[in-house]
Amino acid sequence: MKKANLPNLIGFAASIFLLMLSVQWFVPIQLDLIEAIAAIASAWSVWLLAKNNPLGWWIGLIGVIAYAAVFYQVKLYGEVAIQFFYLITSLRAIYIWLRGGENSTEKLVSRMDQRWLILTAVLVTVGVFGLRTVLVSLGGALPFWDALTTVLSAIAQLYLMGRYLESWYLWIVADTIYVPLYASRGLYLTSILYAIFWLMAIYGLQNFQRIYSEQKLKQQQSL
């Protein structure tokens, strides 16, 4: 067995196990089927994107739709809204990754300049307090943390859509907050999933750094 195939085999086994738990065929564990489907699809999506594989965007569409239903049930309205944002940006990202480069070729991994990083900090600050006000008026649960994770995830999604390395830094911060946030709402499977996402985000950051360095080396050699 190739070492590279081991994570995929573990992922397939875990996916089947979660589906079996959700229909409660053999153990008395309460697990929602929609949440199980959302978790499985999202996990595969993040794993493939961390590996720089565009297929992750397609699989992620399943998780986006399922999670919109899950979050609506527990009144995390900011998370519901961002699922529709994910839906639109994921469709756009498929085109950008495959045709967004020079002469409609595959877009390469890029880095943000300092100006955009400063703008990101401003957008996060303004966005969080603005969204928090809206969520409070809607009676949402944990409005500040819901707003913070929503804004961070939205910007991270936009950066990942453009195949920017810095997107993984934002995902790492967001996932760190998501773990206790979801656990506090009783979404224990999703909380565990986001702990796994945190590890995947670290892998994605390291992988994008490696790919970016290889691209720069090729460009220098071609001069």
Side-chain angles (χ1 to χ4, degrees), residues 128-150:
V128 167
F129 286 100
L131 181 57
R132 178 187 177 278
T133 302
V134 174
L135 295 178
V136 168
S137 67
L138 292 174
L142 303 172
F144 173 77
W145 296 108
D146 192 9
L148 178 59
T149 51
T150 298

Side-chain angles (χ1 to χ4, degrees), residues 35 67 175 178-184 187-196:
E35 186 183 359
Y67 264 131
D175 292 343
Y178 272 132
V179 173
L181 174 65
Y182 290 144
S184 72
L187 299 175
Y188 301 114
L189 173 59
T190 301
S191 180
I192 294 171
L193 175 66
Y194 272 76
I196 297 172

Side-chain angles (χ1 to χ4, degrees), residues 82-207:
I82 203 172
Q83 299 310 309
F84 290 98
F85 172 77
Y86 287 156
L87 180 65
I88 296 172
T89 53
S90 294
L91 291 171
R92 177 61 179 166
I94 293 170
Y95 174 82
I96 292 176
W97 277 40
L98 297 177
R99 299 291 182 181
E102 295 183 3
N103 300 318
S104 297
T105 58
E106 182 176 350
K107 189 180 186 302
L108 300 177
V109 173
S110 305
R111 298 209 62 170
M112 309 293 297
D113 60 33
Q114 187 174 10
R115 180 188 60 175
W116 280 106
L117 294 177
I118 295 173
L119 179 60
T120 297
V122 174
L123 289 175
V124 169
T125 302
V126 174
V128 167
F129 286 100
L131 181 57
R132 178 187 177 278
T133 302
V134 174
L135 295 178
V136 168
S137 67
L138 292 174
L142 303 172
F144 173 77
W145 296 108
D146 192 9
L148 178 59
T149 51
T150 298
V151 172
L152 284 174
S153 297
I155 297 175
Q157 176 79 349
L158 289 173
Y159 285 2
L160 185 56
M161 183 175 69
R163 225 169 195 166
Y164 289 109
L165 182 153
E166 284 76 12
S167 64
W168 294 109
Y169 287 111
L170 293 175
W171 283 125
I172 290 170
V173 175
D175 292 343
T176 301
I177 302 171
Y178 272 132
V179 173
L181 174 65
Y182 290 144
S184 72
R185 305 306 298 169
L187 299 175
Y188 301 114
L189 173 59
T190 301
S191 180
I192 294 171
L193 175 66
Y194 272 76
I196 297 172
F197 282 174
W198 184 83
L199 295 174
M200 289 183 179
I202 293 176
Y203 169 79
L205 174 61
Q206 294 174 340
N207 192 41

Side-chain angles (χ1 to χ4, degrees), residues 27-46:
V27 289
I29 294 179
Q30 185 67 32
L31 181 63
D32 185 74
L33 177 59
I34 297 178
E35 186 183 359
I37 293 173
I40 292 168
S42 298
W44 279 106
S45 173
V46 174

